[in-house]
Amino acid sequence: MSRGTGVGEMPLGFKRHLRSAVVPGEAAYLVSPRAVTAVRGRPAEVLAPLLDGSRTCAQIVAEAARELPQEQAVLALRRFIAAGLVRTVGESADEAAEAYWDLAGLDGGRAGEGAAGVRVLALGGVDAGAAEEACRRSGLRVVGEGEEAGLTLVLCADYLDPELAEVDARQRAAGRPWLLARPVGAEPWTGPVFRPGQGACWHCVATRLRGHRRSELPLQQALGTAAPLARAEASLDAGRAVGLHTAVLEAAKWLAGYRYEGQDGIHALDTLTLRGGLHPVVRRPQCPECGDGGLVAGRVRRPVELSAQPKRPEGEGNGHRALTSRQMLDKYGHLIDAVTGIVKDVRRDPRGPAFVHSYVSGHNLALAPETLGGLRAGLRALSGGKGLTAEQAKVSALCEAVERYSGSWHGDEPSLRASYRELGPVAVHPAEIQLHDERQYRDRERWNAAHSAFHHVPEKFDEDEPVDWTPVWSLTAGRQRLVPTSLLYFSAGGDGPRVPRADSNGNAAGGTLEDAILQGFLELVERDAVALWWYNRTRQPAVDLDAFGASEPWLGRLREDYRSIHREVWVLDLTADLGIPVMAALSRRTDKPAEDVLFGFGAHLDPGVALRRAMTEMGQLLPAVADARADGTGYALRDEEPYTWWTTETVARQPYLLPDRTQPARGPGGWAYTPRTDLKEDLDAVVELARGRGLEVLVLDQTRPDLGLPVAKVIVPGLRHFWARFGPGRLYDVPVALGRLERPTAFENLNPIPLFV
């Protein structure tokens, strides 16, 4: 009989995590800690009471034969065994543990037998003795130095403890797994299990964690230490016990052979709220410790090869992108995580009116705090996003944060150290990008003291001094050029007075590299057109919002929303010589003396999209002034430049903010727009457009292999930034060529108010 069932003559019973109950004529019910399963049929009702662990297979079949034909009894028993519901019964020292492993899908009677031991290593003052005792109480064998361990349990007070680098190196060299845990503090962490050669290493995790603790860097530098800042132990004994025993539980599961996806992540439990979460940990392919440290350099050195990229329709607010907002969130939403993500969170700005979809996504990495004073909040202290819908704004905020992260210096980017004169024509002179005037260099100390860091004027570039250069790809000439590394990556190249600094101009993310490059180019076009208008203070024609409203139904709703909070809205056409639609949306308060004038800018080949971008960007400023009162209080921030603008400047004092009514307003058909269905076609068209104006389009692929979200920095030497950079060139020449001015504006007559967005 035993051969027929495939089991020996040990007693049989249901697995330890199951209890049976029979309702005659209905079913045999199997009750587990997680579910109740009904097994219907007379054979199940007969066999269930017999599977209590006191009978052998032969005895069960013999007793069942009193009520069932033997063949039915054997068949029913085989089905119970095949379904994994039955076990052979032996003596058990811990029936609860056996039931636990049964519940996990393991053989509860054998899960702990002969398991390799665990070695406990405690760092940062964590009690190793308590951890070893907890392991023993859960049935784990604790091994000492010199003995082989199946798993090393490493307990620490901080996941960035420098000693963990040595632990990681030893474990990887030995090819042995180890489990990291922080059992102390108000939020104990457990995991991941690091498996050398499979998945992430500690350095992969540490890179992400440091990204969320960048505010500590200035203080660490001031204290002269690379170690994590000391923190007070804020916990109760019960919370510490939870943290310790959770770590031991994970160690026990690993050693028993239980595997699940969560072992690759960090489990965090907030002991104050009892909210817990799993934070995924991913391997960084470019990690110099466990991956290929040359991946980023290889990507940057390769030519940028473009391919066809069909546009995805998105309905209202379609931005002609490679992926819809929903597709972007589905593909890259995992990058938002409070512990292991690039972005800690993406949340709606609570200060703005309900109709404004303005989202923020963490610290603006383009503004790295280099001093303790740099930690203060400001207008652009946070990365942000905008859109006609919450989903669009969330994606926009995520992309801006990833764009800034990818554009930061990580240390694995390629560079060549040489002077400008040594490199010759392959090098792009930084003056062609920065475009400062000689008078700005001469007066830099006074200027820098009076203006924000956005408008910082460095010392004049020394053409004979060696600096680091990084290759970029010329879409115009199909060849490599070299640009100072410090102009391409945030926080690269040190902080000397001669070091040209990178800014976010031309940085963009997209669903594909072609998408990102096009968006970066359009941003350059937008800011160039804004600079031509703002610093020359030319009067520009209006955009006909009524005409656009016929095809853009969102526009009427948005204008009415602004009217409901006592604000007037209008839009200027800033389109310059490139012919790409560029618009400035403006709004002023009408119910108090200070007009709190806001503006937002947008550029796109499609004039409807340019309008949407300008209007939604203006909405990003609205939260800062939404609660402003007539007495000057209520502003969400007090940065000197924007606060002075909002509280003192009016359209009467700055008439260039108003439309020139002597020129006809431009409606949707006012631009030569050629609709296309492929992003590469748009990109080819704008590169040719730039070539026709004598402009070269340079591209740096800043996509990080561990993120996958395409990021590009686009540089077009000669196009103006909208910050105060007054060197010769387009700023003076184009307004005259377009007939806006009879003669170039004199340097001393340029708008003295720098643009502050």
Side-chain angles (χ1 to χ4, degrees):
M1 194 68 65
S2 62
R3 287 193 298 270
T5 57
V7 296
E9 291 307 313
M10 292 287 290
L12 290 181
F14 285 117
K15 290 198 171 182
R16 292 280 188 189
H17 71 296
L18 296 173
R19 295 292 183 267
S20 67
V22 175
V23 178
E26 185 174 312
Y29 291 93
L30 301 181
V31 182
S32 84
R34 290 183 173 171
V36 176
T37 302
V39 184
R40 303 190 185 279
R42 179 63 180 164
E45 294 179 20
V46 171
L47 287 179
L50 303 178
L51 286 165
D52 60 0
S54 65
R55 301 169 178 83
T56 65
C57 175
Q59 290 169 335
I60 292 171
V61 172
E63 289 195 38
R66 298 172 186 170
E67 301 183 54
L68 294 172
Q70 181 174 306
E71 291 183 1
Q72 284 191 23
V74 171
L75 181 60
L77 189 54
R78 283 178 179 172
R79 288 174 176 170
F80 274 126
I81 294 170
L85 302 174
V86 173
R87 79 197 192 290
T88 57
V89 178
E91 292 187 8
S92 175
D94 188 341
E95 291 189 6
E98 188 174 329
Y100 182 77
W101 298 127
D102 279 344
L103 184 66
L106 304 176
D107 185 337
R110 298 180 181 178
E113 293 180 2
V118 61
R119 176 177 292 110
V120 175
L121 176 61
L123 308 175
V126 178
D127 187 347
E132 291 177 349
E133 178 58 26
C135 287
R136 294 188 186 98
R137 290 177 62 186
S138 286
L140 300 182
R141 182 171 58 88
V142 178
V143 303
E145 290 297 327
E147 296 182 74
E148 185 172 312
L151 180 72
T152 299
L153 173 59
V154 181
L155 305 173
C156 67
D158 194 311
Y159 268 41
L160 292 181
D161 188 326
E163 289 188 64
L164 290 170
E166 299 177 19
V167 174
D168 181 76
R170 288 198 304 268
Q171 296 297 124
R172 281 190 291 111
R176 297 292 185 185
W178 60 292
L179 168 63
L180 179 60
R182 183 184 72 189
V184 297
E187 186 178 86
W189 289 1
T190 303
V193 176
F194 294 109
R195 297 165 292 159
Q198 302 177 57
C201 72
W202 172 80
H203 295 273
C204 297
V205 177
T207 297
R208 294 292 179 87
L209 298 182
R210 291 190 189 103
H212 292 309
R213 291 165 65 171
R214 299 180 79 255
S215 61
E216 295 181 18
L217 291 176
L219 184 53
Q220 287 175 306
Q221 293 169 359
L223 297 175
T225 180
L229 299 178
R231 286 170 166 78
E233 172 58 46
S235 65
L236 298 180
D237 183 68
R240 294 190 294 274
V242 168
L244 176 59
H245 286 281
T246 301
V248 171
L249 177 62
E250 285 300 293
K253 287 189 289 186
W254 178 268
L255 290 170
Y258 182 67
R259 300 290 182 266
Y260 71 106
E261 187 176 352
Q263 288 167 318
D264 291 329
I266 296 174
H267 297 263
L269 174 66
D270 186 334
T271 59
L272 290 170
T273 64
L274 292 186
R275 292 176 181 166
L278 173 63
H279 305 278
V281 170
V282 297
R283 179 173 174 267
R284 300 176 66 244
Q286 73 269 39
C287 175
E289 303 297 329
C290 70
D292 180 356
L295 281 181
V296 169
R299 180 191 292 270
V300 171
R301 290 192 178 104
R302 288 196 299 268
V304 174
E305 298 179 352
L306 306 178
S307 60
Q309 299 294 337
K311 300 177 183 179
R312 307 284 179 146
E314 190 167 346
E316 187 170 84
N318 174 27
H320 299 259
R321 306 303 295 262
L323 298 175
T324 66
S325 298
R326 173 42 51 190
Q327 288 171 326
M328 288 291 287
L329 281 180
D330 289 344
K331 190 171 185 177
Y332 301 111
H334 66 279
L335 299 177
I336 306 170
D337 187 272
V339 174
T340 57
I342 296 303
V343 185
K344 180 172 288 189
D345 64 353
V346 176
R347 65 190 186 280
R348 184 183 178 277
D349 191 331
R351 303 168 300 176
F355 66 82
V356 173
H357 297 294
S358 178
Y359 277 63
V360 292
S361 54
H363 184 74
N364 183 349
L365 299 183
L367 305 175
E370 297 164 352
T371 65
L372 295 177
L375 294 175
R376 68 181 180 87
L379 181 62
R380 295 188 62 81
L382 298 175
S383 294
K386 59 189 183 295
L388 290 180
T389 67
E391 188 172 79
Q392 290 173 1
K394 187 174 184 179
V395 170
S396 176
L398 169 62
C399 286
E400 180 163 292
V402 172
E403 161 197 320
R404 302 286 165 79
Y405 175 88
S406 299
S408 298
W409 176 256
H410 293 185
D412 55 354
E413 300 82 358
S415 62
L416 166 70
R417 193 160 188 85
S419 71
Y420 174 76
R421 292 193 188 280
E422 290 174 323
L423 294 174
V426 70
V428 179
H429 199 293
E432 297 179 51
I433 300 171
Q434 292 186 297
L435 298 170
H436 289 109
D437 188 83
E438 289 290 337
R439 285 160 286 195
Q440 289 184 286
Y441 288 121
R442 289 199 301 266
D443 198 29
R444 61 179 297 274
E445 291 187 6
R446 185 191 65 81
W447 174 271
N448 290 345
H451 296 87
S452 72
F454 294 121
H455 303 287
H456 174 89
V457 178
E459 287 188 10
K460 194 171 182 180
F461 182 73
D462 187 342
E463 298 177 353
D464 296 308
E465 181 179 343
V467 297
D468 290 328
W469 301 78
T470 292
V472 298
W473 185 255
S474 172
L475 293 181
T476 307
R479 62 171 181 143
Q480 267 191 357
R481 302 290 305 275
L482 291 170
V483 172
T485 306
S486 62
L487 271 176
L488 299 173
Y489 294 100
F490 308 124
S491 302
D495 191 37
R498 291 187 183 275
V499 176
R501 296 181 179 180
D503 56 58
S504 64
N505 203 29
N507 288 45
T512 64
L513 184 61
E514 292 79 6
D515 190 359
I517 293 171
L518 181 60
Q519 306 315 313
F521 179 85
L522 291 172
E523 181 173 87
L524 295 179
V525 171
E526 169 201 302
R527 294 183 175 185
D528 175 81
V530 170
L532 301 182
W533 160 67
W534 182 271
Y535 293 108
N536 285 285
R537 292 181 279 192
T538 57
R539 299 295 298 273
Q540 298 299 120
V543 172
D544 190 339
L545 298 184
D546 291 333
F548 270 97
S551 58
E552 305 283 350
W554 58 267
L555 184 57
R557 298 193 300 267
L558 195 57
R559 294 171 73 187
E560 183 57 39
D561 288 331
Y562 273 89
R563 279 193 290 269
S564 72
I565 58 171
H566 310 289
R567 297 197 72 94
E568 180 185 1
V569 173
W570 65 98
V571 178
L572 303 180
D573 172 30
L574 306 186
T575 306
D577 57 323
L578 293 172
I580 295 175
V582 180
M583 302 182 193
L586 296 104
S587 174
R588 70 183 183 103
R589 284 285 290 267
T590 58
D591 61 341
K592 69 186 186 75
E595 294 183 344
D596 300 335
V597 177
L598 303 177
F599 39 73
F601 310 116
H604 199 274
L605 299 172
D606 181 341
V609 176
L611 176 59
R612 173 176 66 84
R613 291 184 172 182
M615 291 290 288
T616 53
E617 182 175 274
M618 182 173 66
Q620 287 186 277
L621 285 179
L622 192 54
V625 302
D627 296 325
R629 293 178 284 273
D631 62 359
T633 62
Y635 290 89
L637 55 88
R638 296 295 291 266
D639 290 31
E640 183 177 352
E641 289 174 338
Y643 179 74
T644 299
W645 171 267
W646 291 325
T647 57
T648 63
E649 299 302 338
T650 64
V651 295
R653 286 170 52 87
Q654 306 293 338
Y656 61 93
L657 300 177
L658 293 172
D660 180 1
R661 298 300 183 186
T662 66
Q663 301 184 60
R666 299 185 79 172
W671 291 264
Y673 168 50
T674 303
R676 304 180 184 90
T677 60
D678 193 283
L679 287 164
K680 182 180 181 297
E681 295 176 0
D682 281 348
L683 196 49
D684 290 341
V686 299
V687 170
E688 285 304 308
L689 179 63
R691 191 199 311 273
R693 297 293 189 277
L695 299 168
E696 184 175 20
V697 181
L698 306 174
V699 172
L700 171 63
D701 184 352
Q702 294 185 325
T703 307
R704 299 292 173 174
D706 55 328
L707 308 188
L709 202 165
V711 174
K713 184 171 184 67
V714 183
I715 305 151
V716 180
L719 288 186
R720 314 302 299 211
H721 201 307
F722 61 19
W723 292 345
R725 298 177 178 183
F726 297 156
R730 292 175 55 83
L731 185 64
Y732 303 90
D733 303 338
V734 172
V736 176
L738 291 174
R740 297 178 183 177
L741 298 172
E742 293 184 0
R743 63 185 64 85
T745 303
F747 176 88
E748 58 273 13
N749 292 332
L750 293 171
N751 193 341
I753 302 174
L755 202 63
F756 54 81
V757 295

